[in-house]
Amino acid sequence: MNAIKRLRKLQGEGKKIVGCFPLYPPVELFYAMELVPVVLWGLTDAHTQTPKSDRHLQNYTCFVARDLTEFILTQGHALLDGIFMYNACDTLRNLPEIFIKETKASGGSLPLIRMHLPMSPQDQTDSSKYFNDEINAVIRSFTEDLGTSFSSERFEEGIRLYNRMRKLAIFAQHRVARGRMGFLPFADTMRNACFMPVGEQVSALESLLRMYPEDSGDPNDSKTDTGVILSGILPPPPSIIAAIESAGMRVVGNDIASLHRSYADIPAPESDPCEYYRDFYFHHTPCSTLLFSGDRRLQTLMDMVDKTGAMGVIFVGEKFCEYEYFEFPYLEKELRKKGVKTLRIEISMQDDAHAGGISSRIEAFAEMTAS
Amino acid sequence: MAKFKKTESGRNLSRILSKGYLDLHTRASQGAFVVWIAINVPAELFAGFENVVYGVPESHAAMNAGKGVGAIQCEKAERIGYSMDLCSYARIDIGCVSDNGKDSPSFGLPKPDLLVSDNNNCSLLVKWFEVHHREMGVPHFIIDVPFCYEPQQKKDRDYIIAQFHGLIQTIEKMSGQRFDPDRVSEAVASTNQGISHWKRFLSFAGHRPSGITAFDSFVHMAPFLTMRGTSEFVNHYKLLADETEQRVAAGDFPVKNEKYRLFWDNIAPWHQLRNMSDSLAAHGANIVGATYTSCIGSVEGSFDMYPYDGGDPLEYCARTQNCYICPHGLNLRSKAMRQAVKRLNIDGIVFASNRSCKPYSVTQMDQQRTMTEKLGIPSVMIDVDHADVRKYSRQSTFTRLEALIESIAAKRAA
């Protein structure tokens, strides 16, 4: 079932759906207000071309933004009850006014709820009060614009459910690392989960784990694969994942923003949303888009290398995602100093055309890393 | 043809910029505390310290591009792994630092003690400064400025002011110098005075024919980036405005046979200033104004001057943090552009789609449609890169610019 069908299903069930631009929305808060958050990344299977988006965004804009724009302008206003964003990237911050204008022109309306996530490091400026006010403003906006109300009990229930989902995602990641399942079914499940309520996310992951049990006798068990870590904003397309695994490499860890960076943090349960999200954001696994986390980025990646015993790191650059591209050279240099091999490949979400050339580089990298 | 005869203000500009870079290196070598800042960081704060100097990597990168060494510096960054898709200012700066200022007209910038970036123009400035932070081991202070869809809110202003206080404390601690707020008030007052002359200079674009070209304004922006709050800043812009006034009174115009008055949207194409200005002038066209230079000293949604009332200088600095084009949204940008286009009797708009500056460019297609719908004037989208000449095609650009001129002429004839 593709993303659009999943959204239609949710709509048919009477759910109020909020489309989220950034990868780390305050999902428990949505749950507490009886809303279903869907992160609008990875909608590619819903459309192969982006004609509507092309009227608004230049071709040097990343495909995540173009894909998201195409969805909002074609089907978003019919499927979503609102959109949510924070200051995740310079491109995304310029899109809401385009969406509001175009939705209005087509006779619809799409409430925009936004907050500013303080990007100043906490040891430089204490932004706690400002942040608390932003969280409270989001709650007010949901109440006013979407007619929902906040429930403390549901908030705590949401924390339990999302933390369960995160733990299951970590279990599944470990099974990939141990060769019990391929990276592709894991990444696919996680992508599909973006368009499900959290209860279904938990079920989908439980089902995945049952399908690939610890002692599955999977053919990968017998392999002595070379362990690699994937790093980037999004997982690579299936053809590239297949090329990595068929070249004898196993994904023993991932530093993918839409995967590990999204589920790695399991904050302590807390009834006060402000306190919960201060912990969640300010101690979040480092990400190139969370500007305050820069100083922890290298160490986190190094720790992952140590913990997983990875021999190499493959950086998967989404074309035009400058946040990632600014970091690659430094990370590559420091990893190489430590004897860890690195490979950088450039992909675009919608473009599998260069998979052949990339596969050859992956094979060469696998040989080099294994030797 | 546009006249590029060296004016007194042009000579003064060369003099104060050379002296500025020389002084920066000299004072750094004598022990001054050196800060590298993003252009929107309120430089007036540093006047509150006895011995703090600052360099501006973006301005330095623009100078490299203007002097024809932009691509050389970019290639150095690319050789050490920085993608060609990254901002060319960043690549120039990273490339220049990678070999200690070689090829730079100013021998680079002196090594910093502190890096101060902000994310109002773009978050990538923070990523860029982080590269230096990691490679040089120099502390990095980040000023976080909330983006505006509506005029800046007080809660955001208070948050920005709190960060200014944090920056002041950081410098006090690191440099051992004490902060004097009165000196900052004086610096802000000087900036305000200089900007009033800047606005007077820009106002001569309203004359027919225009007393200035946008290219003049691009070149003369530099002191705004590197000398705010100083007497040189005030004196330079007074000289520039006075001289322009005299030239207009004397009937001395940059494009005498001005037939087409154009408006520019985006960062200046630093590697093409002379070439583009001359070629347009040959068609009787003059780019008389630009969003890039008009926004200075304003607040979001207007290009009118936002005056300093003599009150809290930090409040003023915070209030003007969203004035540049990138830190505010499409509606506010449209409002200011419409006002300028009407005021300057613009015939056509040049939207320079800039691969190196996505935050400036991303809304341009909608902005272009808005201008057509609201004002009914022709416009064109051209592809540029503000500092990397390798990504610029003169032929393709002028095909489009000539088409714009033809459409203006056709509209007049109809």
Side-chain angles (χ1 to χ4, degrees):
Chain A
M1 195 188 293
N2 75 13
I4 303 298
K5 284 183 183 160
R6 287 184 191 285
L7 291 175
R8 287 208 180 106
K9 179 174 170 283
L10 286 173
Q11 196 179 39
E13 291 165 359
K15 301 276 197 311
K16 283 192 174 176
I17 310 165
V18 178
C20 303
F21 293 1
L23 281 170
Y24 317 125
V27 284
E28 299 85 352
L29 195 58
F30 291 79
Y31 185 87
M33 304 194 80
E34 298 195 62
L35 299 165
V36 178
V38 291
V39 172
L40 299 173
W41 288 44
L43 291 150
T44 322
D45 58 5
H47 44 254
T48 52
Q49 304 288 319
T50 56
K52 290 259 189 189
S53 168
D54 294 346
R55 292 190 70 241
H56 300 274
L57 301 179
Q58 289 95 333
N59 60 7
Y60 52 78
T61 310
C62 78
F63 197 76
V64 172
R66 290 161 62 201
D67 185 51
L68 186 153
T69 299
E70 187 69 20
F71 166 72
I72 297 277
L73 298 184
T74 52
Q75 306 179 70
H77 62 278
L79 289 170
L80 302 176
D81 294 282
I83 46 181
F84 171 82
M85 67 173 294
Y86 60 76
N87 43 309
C89 104
D90 293 338
T91 297
L92 294 182
R93 78 183 185 183
N94 278 300
L95 302 183
E97 288 169 300
I98 295 173
F99 297 161
I100 289 166
K101 187 179 171 220
E102 292 296 307
T103 305
K104 201 173 165 188
S106 60
S109 74
L110 200 51
L112 166 70
I113 288 98
R114 63 188 169 84
M115 71 172 202
H116 182 81
L117 176 60
M119 290 292 174
S120 177
Q122 290 300 293
D123 60 352
Q124 292 180 356
T125 306
D126 179 5
S127 54
S128 302
K129 185 185 175 304
Y130 180 84
F131 178 75
N132 292 352
D133 290 346
E134 290 294 288
I135 290 288
N136 287 324
V138 168
I139 295 173
R140 273 198 308 278
S141 296
F142 279 142
T143 307
E144 288 163 14
D145 296 339
L146 299 176
T148 58
S149 58
F150 177 79
S151 152
S152 297
E153 292 74 29
R154 275 190 67 87
F155 182 65
E156 289 177 35
E157 188 186 336
I159 292 173
R160 277 194 299 278
L161 280 168
Y162 276 105
N163 280 351
R164 170 83 181 136
M165 180 275 290
R166 291 168 183 137
K167 283 175 188 165
L168 290 170
I170 292 168
F171 285 148
Q173 178 190 293
H174 287 162
R175 289 202 188 163
V176 174
R178 286 196 289 272
R180 300 294 192 267
M181 81 169 94
F183 186 72
L184 185 58
F186 169 62
D188 264 354
T189 302
M190 292 305 294
R191 189 180 72 92
N192 291 334
C194 286
F195 303 96
M196 298 174 185
V198 63
E200 288 181 29
Q201 294 180 7
V202 167
S203 301
L205 281 162
E206 284 171 342
S207 167
L208 179 76
L209 288 165
R210 276 196 301 276
M211 204 180 302
Y212 297 96
E214 200 60 74
D215 55 349
S216 66
D218 187 287
N220 280 336
D221 280 3
S222 58
K223 288 190 178 176
T224 51
D225 297 338
T226 305
V228 291
I229 288 169
L230 296 184
S231 178
I233 282 285
L234 287 163
S239 60
I240 303 297
I241 295 173
I244 290 168
E245 292 183 329
S246 65
M249 292 187 284
R250 181 158 20 105
V251 181
V252 294
N254 84 76
D255 171 49
I256 303 281
S258 66
L259 295 177
H260 183 81
R261 292 184 216 165
S262 293
Y263 58 68
D265 302 292
I266 303 179
E270 168 60 58
S271 57
D272 174 6
C274 298
E275 202 162 314
Y276 179 80
Y277 287 116
R278 279 204 310 274
D279 183 23
F280 176 74
Y281 284 113
F282 298 149
H283 299 104
H284 199 278
T285 295
C287 176
S288 54
T289 63
L290 299 173
L291 303 178
F292 50 79
S293 71
D295 278 350
R296 293 184 285 120
R297 178 105 164 86
L298 175 67
Q299 194 54 52
T300 302
L301 190 55
M302 289 294 193
D303 288 347
M304 191 184 284
V305 169
D306 287 341
K307 201 172 165 187
T308 60
M311 303 297 288
V313 176
I314 300 178
F315 290 97
V316 184
E318 175 68 29
K319 183 82 174 161
F320 302 123
C321 180
E322 291 157 295
Y323 290 80
E324 291 282 296
Y325 277 91
F326 263 112
E327 299 207 330
F328 288 159
Y330 176 73
L331 296 176
E332 288 164 344
K333 188 176 80 173
E334 294 301 313
L335 285 164
R336 284 197 298 265
K337 272 189 204 167
K338 216 183 153 173
V340 180
K341 303 281 194 299
T342 67
L343 172 71
R344 192 192 310 181
I345 57 176
E346 184 166 85
I347 58 153
S348 178
M349 243 169 83
Q350 98 290 17
D351 178 15
D352 220 4
H354 305 293
I358 294 174
S359 296
S360 302
R361 293 182 59 218
I362 287 169
E363 282 166 22
F365 179 70
E367 286 166 24
M368 189 177 72
T369 308
S371 67
Chain B
M1 296 285 282
K3 287 185 179 176
F4 270 94
K5 62 186 179 191
K6 198 81 168 178
T7 57
E8 182 51 35
S9 50
R11 279 191 288 274
N12 189 59
L13 181 70
S14 302
R15 189 166 56 240
I16 61 174
L17 289 181
S18 300
K19 182 176 177 298
Y21 278 107
L22 190 62
D23 286 351
L24 178 60
H25 280 289
T26 305
R27 288 187 61 190
S29 69
Q30 291 168 346
F33 187 82
V34 181
V35 184
W36 283 11
I37 61 166
I39 56 170
N40 296 357
V41 171
E44 292 84 353
L45 294 185
F46 307 124
F49 296 94
E50 187 66 37
N51 198 20
V52 172
V53 294
Y54 66 94
V56 188
E58 289 154 275
S59 185
H60 177 254
M63 179 176 69
N64 274 260
K67 298 288 183 188
V69 293
I72 292 169
Q73 305 285 26
C74 283
E75 284 167 6
K76 292 178 196 170
E78 289 154 19
R79 280 199 291 273
I80 55 173
Y82 290 91
S83 166
M84 202 177 176
D85 289 328
L86 294 174
C87 164
S88 46
Y89 278 169
R91 279 179 289 135
I92 288 174
D93 182 50
I94 292 168
C96 184
V97 169
S98 74
D99 69 354
N100 301 311
K102 193 179 165 211
D103 299 311
S104 157
S106 68
F107 308 102
L109 299 170
K111 188 175 183 297
D113 297 300
L114 175 68
L115 301 155
V116 186
S117 69
D118 52 22
N119 60 352
N120 41 357
N121 262 353
C122 74
S123 303
L124 296 170
L125 262 161
V126 177
K127 307 301 293 180
W128 161 7
F129 275 48
E130 201 167 75
V131 170
H132 294 323
H133 164 60
R134 289 167 166 174
E135 296 289 352
M136 297 181 187
V138 171
H140 178 197
F141 194 96
I142 300 169
I143 298 175
D144 175 39
V145 178
F147 188 78
C148 283
Y149 297 95
E150 302 95 26
Q152 188 191 68
Q153 295 179 48
K154 186 176 182 306
K155 69 177 177 73
D156 294 335
R157 187 152 59 253
D158 290 344
Y159 171 50
I160 298 167
I161 292 170
Q163 294 176 78
F164 291 164
H165 285 294
L167 174 60
I168 290 164
Q169 284 164 14
T170 299
I171 297 176
E172 280 188 325
K173 202 170 161 186
M174 287 183 69
S175 70
Q177 299 177 38
R178 290 200 59 185
F179 179 73
D180 179 353
D182 292 340
R183 291 170 61 140
V184 178
S185 298
E186 287 167 22
V188 169
S190 292
T191 295
N192 186 66
Q193 202 184 342
I195 287 174
S196 69
H197 292 303
W198 171 255
K199 294 288 189 190
R200 187 160 62 90
F201 160 69
L202 293 183
S203 73
F204 293 111
H207 194 277
R208 294 194 82 125
S210 171
I212 66 169
T213 75
F215 301 96
D216 301 327
S217 67
F218 293 149
V219 170
H220 283 280
M221 274 178 79
F224 179 77
L225 308 179
T226 60
M227 292 178 182
R228 288 200 296 277
T230 65
S231 56
E232 287 97 331
F233 176 83
V234 180
N235 295 339
H236 177 71
Y237 287 127
K238 182 175 188 310
L239 173 65
L240 177 66
D242 288 348
E243 189 179 31
T244 306
E245 186 173 6
Q246 286 161 15
R247 291 174 67 183
V248 168
D252 184 3
F253 303 106
V255 181
K256 282 199 167 63
N257 64 333
E258 179 186 280
K259 289 188 283 189
Y260 308 105
R261 295 167 62 81
L262 308 178
F263 196 73
W264 176 272
D265 183 57
N266 217 306
I267 301 175
W270 295 111
H271 44 83
Q272 294 300 314
L273 297 185
R274 174 72 63 91
N275 187 309
M276 196 177 276
S277 180
D278 281 353
S279 302
L280 284 169
H283 287 84
N286 184 8
I287 297 179
V288 303
T291 52
Y292 189 47
T293 48
S294 300
C295 64
I296 290 172
S298 308
V299 291
E300 62 288 339
S302 168
F303 294 146
D304 291 339
M305 181 160 173
Y306 180 76
Y308 173 50
D309 63 4
D312 179 0
L314 300 192
E315 171 93 14
Y316 171 85
C317 290
R319 181 63 193 94
T320 50
Q321 280 293 292
N322 291 90
C323 78
Y324 311 96
I325 302 301
C326 297
H328 57 264
L330 176 62
N331 295 336
L332 289 165
R333 292 186 197 190
S334 294
K335 187 180 166 209
M337 186 185 274
R338 286 203 303 272
Q339 181 192 49
V341 164
K342 283 181 187 168
R343 195 175 282 173
L344 296 176
N345 292 305
I346 295 297
D347 300 310
I349 305 172
V350 180
F351 288 94
S353 176
N354 184 348
R355 300 178 78 89
S356 259
C357 189
K358 293 176 185 69
Y360 214 133
S361 307
V362 159
T363 54
Q364 281 181 313
M365 292 164 88
D366 284 77
Q367 178 84 305
Q368 188 177 20
R369 273 192 291 277
T370 301
M371 290 303 125
T372 306
E373 286 163 15
K374 303 268 185 193
L375 302 174
I377 61 169
S379 61
V380 70
M381 188 82 72
I382 59 170
D383 284 318
V384 299
D385 184 295
H386 54 249
D388 188 348
V389 68
R390 297 169 301 169
K391 293 189 188 174
Y392 173 78
S393 161
R394 187 186 184 283
Q395 189 178 5
S396 148
T397 299
F398 272 86
T399 301
R400 285 173 172 267
L401 289 175
E402 284 161 12
L404 173 66
I405 289 167
E406 283 168 21
S407 72
I408 296 169
K411 190 180 162 203
R412 282 181 188 162

